Structure formats: structure tokens, C-alpha cells
């Protein structure tokens, strides 16, 4: 129902510091430390680098708590946090960090998010109702309004939704 952009949240002060066009470029900055949620999917390139590159593994600091990752970013324990664009800004807002952060233009992974429903407990009628409701939100513009409520205005059109 929406796209999930896994992006690098960085401190605004470091906005121009990292010239990255792909994930491998991170290794050209050996002192760059990335925070990531343990067990999350960040795409095939991330998986391959984290399995094959000793340097990338050294740069990667994983934790089970997104909030802690953003706190680490605030105190410079890490230089970037990989997170979904919307979830990241929601956490940043809750922590009072929105003005401190920027999103690096490198997209770590771009994927679609879907509802996962059980065929055993979901009827065809219920599925159609959900699909109709989501499509109605999209057609009426309410979906875009909801998405824009979660991210600062300068990023609202930077990442297309469909």
C-alpha cells in the first residue's frame, strides 16, 4: 500500500560530508559508523556487504532498539542510522530530534509494503473491503495527507509513493 524507503538518517551538521551514490561507497569512509536494527531487511546489497565485507561489518553497529539507535546518532556514537523514512521521522519527532537530522539522498533499499493477511481467517469479502478502503484513501488524497504528516515538508515529494 506504500513504498518503504530505507534511508540513512544523519546529523544535519554532516549533510555534505558523505558523498555516497551506492551502498559500497560507505566503505570509502572507513570511520563512518552505521546503526541498524538487527534482523531488519535492508536489501540484497546490504545483505551481501554485511556477509562478505569485513570493513562493512566493522562499520555496522546493530541493536534491537530503534530508539537507542537514534539516541546513539544524537550523541555521535554512530554517524548514520538506517531506517524506514516514515518510521525514522516518527521516532525523531518523539525524541525531539527532527531539526537535528537530515536524510542522505542515498536510498539503501526501496520496496513496497503490503498488508499480510491469512487466507484461513480472511474472507474474500473482507479483503475486498480493505482494498476498496485503501484505494478510496488514495483516490481522495487522504493517503498522501497521512504520509506527509509523518515527514518534514522538504522530503514529502523527494520520495514518490507509487
Amino acid at each position: 500500500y506504500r513504498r518503504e524507503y530505507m534511508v540513512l538518517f544523519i546529523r544535519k551538521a554532516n549533510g555534505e560530508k558523505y558523498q555516497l551514490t551506492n551502498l559500497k561507497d560507505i566503505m570509502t569512509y572507513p570511520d563512518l559508523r552505521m546503526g541498524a536494527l538487527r534482523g531488519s531487511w535492508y536489501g540484497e546489497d546490504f545483505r551481501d556487504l554485511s556477509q562478505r565485507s569485513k570493513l562493512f561489518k566493522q562499520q555496522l553497529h546493530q541493536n534491537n532498539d530503534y530508539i537507542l539507535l537514534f539516541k546513539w546518532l544524537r550523541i555521535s556514537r554512530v554517524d548514520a542510522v538506517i531506517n524506514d523514512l516514515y518510521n525514522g521521522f516518527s521516532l525523531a519527532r518523539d525524541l525531539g530530534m527532527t531539526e537535528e537530522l537530515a536524510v542522505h539522498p542515498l536510498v539503501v533499499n526501496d520496496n513496497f509494503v503490503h498488508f499480510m493477511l491469512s487466507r484461513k481467517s480472511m474472507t474474500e469479502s473482507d479483503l475486498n473491503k480493505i482494498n476498496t478502503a485503501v484505494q478510496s484513501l488514495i483516490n481522495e488524497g487522504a493517503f498522501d495527507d497521512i504520509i506527509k504528516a509523518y515527514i518534514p515538508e522538504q522530503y514529502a515529494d523527494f520520495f514518490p509513493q507509487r
Side-chain angles (χ1 to χ4, degrees):
Y1 70 98
R2 73 167 177 89
R3 285 169 77 170
E4 175 185 64
Y5 292 100
M6 289 295 182
V7 297
L8 291 172
F9 284 88
I10 59 175
R11 288 180 297 282
K12 276 187 183 173
N14 293 341
E16 303 293 322
K17 184 175 182 179
Y18 306 112
Q19 302 299 312
L20 309 170
T21 57
N22 62 58
L23 206 51
K24 288 180 187 175
D25 288 345
I26 287 173
M27 293 182 292
T28 63
Y29 300 92
D31 293 334
L32 189 150
R33 298 154 304 164
M34 296 173 297
L37 190 69
R38 187 176 288 113
S40 287
W41 177 250
Y42 298 112
E44 292 178 13
D45 290 343
F46 181 92
R47 181 200 59 209
D48 293 346
L49 285 169
S50 62
Q51 289 175 352
R52 296 188 176 118
S53 170
K54 184 177 179 179
L55 176 57
F56 192 84
K57 282 189 240 184
Q58 290 171 345
Q59 292 176 284
L60 186 59
H61 300 270
Q62 296 186 64
N63 195 285
N64 294 328
D65 184 347
Y66 265 136
I67 294 171
L68 185 59
L69 292 173
F70 278 84
K71 288 179 178 179
W72 284 355
L73 183 59
R74 174 179 264 161
I75 63 171
S76 300
R77 184 177 242 181
V78 295
D79 303 299
V81 170
I82 304 172
N83 196 339
D84 171 61
L85 179 69
Y86 308 105
N87 182 51
F89 273 119
S90 179
L91 291 170
R93 185 173 36 254
D94 292 348
L95 294 169
M97 294 178 64
T98 306
E99 296 303 315
E100 301 171 43
L101 300 180
V103 174
H104 192 282
L106 172 68
V107 175
V108 174
N109 193 49
D110 175 4
N111 224 339
F112 280 93
V113 175
H114 303 277
F115 288 113
M116 301 296 288
L117 307 168
S118 168
R119 291 185 190 273
K120 290 182 181 178
S121 62
M122 181 64 58
T123 67
E124 189 75 25
S125 174
D126 288 340
L127 179 60
N128 289 336
K129 288 176 186 174
I130 291 170
N131 286 335
T132 299
V134 170
Q135 193 59 53
S136 178
L137 288 172
I138 290 169
N139 294 343
E140 295 168 4
F143 180 82
D144 289 335
D145 292 341
I146 292 167
I147 291 296
K148 288 178 181 179
Y150 284 90
I151 58 175
E153 191 174 325
Q154 67 264 33
Y155 298 107
D157 296 322
F158 188 75
F159 298 97
Q161 280 305 303
R162 291 179 268 300

